[in-house]
Amino acid sequence: MVTVIVKYKTPKSYSREEISAMLNFGAENMFKGLPHLYSKQFCFDVDSSEGVSVYLWESREHAQAFFNQQFLQSFQQSMGTTPTVEYHDTIVVVDNRAGDTIAG
């Protein structure tokens, strides 16, 4: 498993309601049911216009295939900025909702 952290700062300020609507749309239309993606968290600080997304992928290969040049260009067009993308080997995951611990 691999955890991917995507960070960005938008040039435009958004209210909590505006960014929530945008991120919820992306969650429903792009990420819900996406093969090989275990989970994704959308985080955004409206005061600083900084966003962080945390993804848990089945493998680094699947994550890298998703975060390709086309993704970066699409992100640039929709959010007005190019994000940084970090990959981290996931050693252990605790899922309290499932009552499970998963070793990577």
Side-chain angles (χ1 to χ4, degrees):
M1 289 182 293
V2 66
T3 297
V4 178
I5 300 172
V6 175
K7 298 177 184 176
Y8 58 96
K9 181 174 176 71
T10 62
K12 179 182 185 283
S13 295
Y14 294 98
S15 69
R16 189 175 196 320
E17 293 76 20
E18 289 172 319
I19 198 69
S20 179
M22 289 172 58
L23 297 178
N24 190 54
F25 180 84
E28 288 292 328
N29 294 287
M30 182 183 291
F31 296 104
K32 189 175 184 180
L34 185 63
H36 312 291
L37 177 65
Y38 291 156
S39 66
K40 179 184 187 317
Q41 291 74 50
F42 296 83
C43 308
F44 193 84
D45 183 327
V46 295
D47 293 331
S48 66
S49 296
E50 294 177 323
V52 175
S53 292
V54 180
Y55 301 75
L56 181 61
W57 287 90
E58 182 179 302
S59 70
R60 185 180 185 105
E61 292 76 22
H62 288 110
Q64 287 178 320
F66 181 81
F67 295 107
N68 58 27
Q69 193 61 36
Q70 181 181 356
F71 170 86
L72 296 175
Q73 288 173 346
S74 176
F75 194 99
Q76 168 65 37
Q77 289 175 346
S78 65
M79 299 302 284
T81 187
T82 302
T84 61
V85 180
E86 303 172 5
Y87 298 88
H88 301 275
D89 187 26
T90 303
I91 307 301
V92 176
V93 174
V94 175
D95 187 339
N96 287 327
R97 289 172 291 176
D100 199 8
T101 303
I102 306 161

